[in-house]
């Protein structure tokens, strides 16, 4: 047995060939900025629900993502909390960074639930992916101590569009306030 194990791992390493996506996996298409963006194709979407309470879970996750964004990022932005010289600016930016990562996680969960339902999958995977990329970008900027008004405005319009798309798919959701422990109070 030692001889068999000692023969493994020597020599040069090679990179695996690029594989096509597995059956049921979303196909990747190039985005506008050259980044890879996931979109759901009819072949990638299930033909029947794959989990219990998919729509309920989706509504909860999407509502938490939107509510967190609006409470900890958009409202402080409108009130000028991220402006230079604003009182408690650093605290507002730290909370916004935590809120962006929490919203990103809730969007990840909403995507998994939408992926398990045929109707939600076909309609909402693209908007969720765009919004997730926006939240990840916001988190990076807040983590660096910056508050980019353009990125915040873009994320707000993305949330509004996501609300409209979800309502059109029969999954209209309300913004929900996150638990205080999720973002830091």
């Amino acid at each position: 047995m030692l001889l068999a194990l000692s023969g493994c791992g020597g020599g040069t390493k090679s990179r695996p060939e690029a594989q096509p996506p597995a059956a049921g996996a979303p196909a990747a298409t190039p985005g506008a900025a050259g980044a890879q963006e996931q979109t759901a194709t009819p072949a990638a979407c299930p033909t029947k629900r794959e989990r219990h309470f998919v729509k309920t879970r989706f509504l909860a996750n999407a509502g938490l993502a939107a509510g967190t964004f609006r409470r900890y990022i958009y409202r402080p932005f409108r009130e000028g909390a991220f402006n230079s010289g604003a009182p408690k600016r650093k605290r507002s930016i730290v909370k916004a960074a935590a809120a962006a990562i929490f919203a990103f996680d809730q969007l990840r969960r909403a995507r998994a639930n939408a992926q398990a339902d045929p109707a939600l999958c076909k309609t909402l995977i693209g908007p969720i992916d765009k919004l997730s990329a926006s939240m990840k970008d916001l988190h990076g900027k807040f983590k660096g101590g910056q508050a980019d008004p353009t990125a915040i405005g873009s994320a707000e319009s993305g949330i509004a569009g996501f609300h409209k798309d979800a309502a059109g798919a029969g999954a209209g959701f309300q913004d929900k306030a996150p638990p205080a422990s999720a973002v830091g109070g």
Side-chain angles (χ1 to χ4, degrees):
M1 182 155 166
L2 286 175
L3 286 174
L5 292 176
S6 66
C8 295
T12 61
K13 294 182 180 181
S14 62
R15 287 187 172 169
E17 297 281 328
Q19 300 279 331
T29 58
Q36 291 290 326
E37 181 179 307
Q38 303 254 340
T39 58
T41 61
C45 293
T47 56
K48 62 179 185 158
R49 284 194 177 153
E50 296 178 344
R51 295 189 205 180
H52 296 291
F53 305 108
V54 172
K55 200 178 223 181
T56 303
R57 291 176 182 183
F58 170 81
L59 295 174
N61 296 132
L64 282 169
T68 301
F69 171 78
R70 291 217 168 106
R71 179 175 180 177
Y72 291 102
I73 298 173
Y74 192 65
R75 189 181 322 153
F77 166 70
R78 282 187 316 169
E79 293 171 355
F82 303 136
N83 294 341
S84 181
K88 301 180 184 178
R89 177 179 184 263
K90 288 183 183 179
R91 187 178 89 175
S92 297
I93 289 177
V94 168
K95 279 188 176 185
I101 204 70
F102 180 77
F104 176 76
D105 181 58
Q106 292 302 312
L107 288 169
R108 178 189 60 80
R109 292 169 189 239
R111 185 187 196 288
N113 288 314
Q115 186 74 37
D117 182 80
L120 296 179
C121 178
K122 292 174 187 166
T123 309
L124 297 177
I125 295 298
I128 290 173
D129 288 343
K130 288 178 185 174
L131 200 51
S132 293
S134 180
M135 286 300 153
K136 193 170 185 178
D137 181 49
L138 274 175
H139 174 261
K141 291 184 182 202
F142 283 128
K143 190 174 173 183
Q146 303 171 359
D148 183 9
T150 307
I152 295 171
S154 174
E156 170 58 26
S157 64
I159 293 267
F162 182 47
H163 266 287
K164 186 188 292 185
D165 292 340
F173 61 90
Q174 300 291 323
D175 293 355
K176 292 180 151 212
S181 62
V183 181

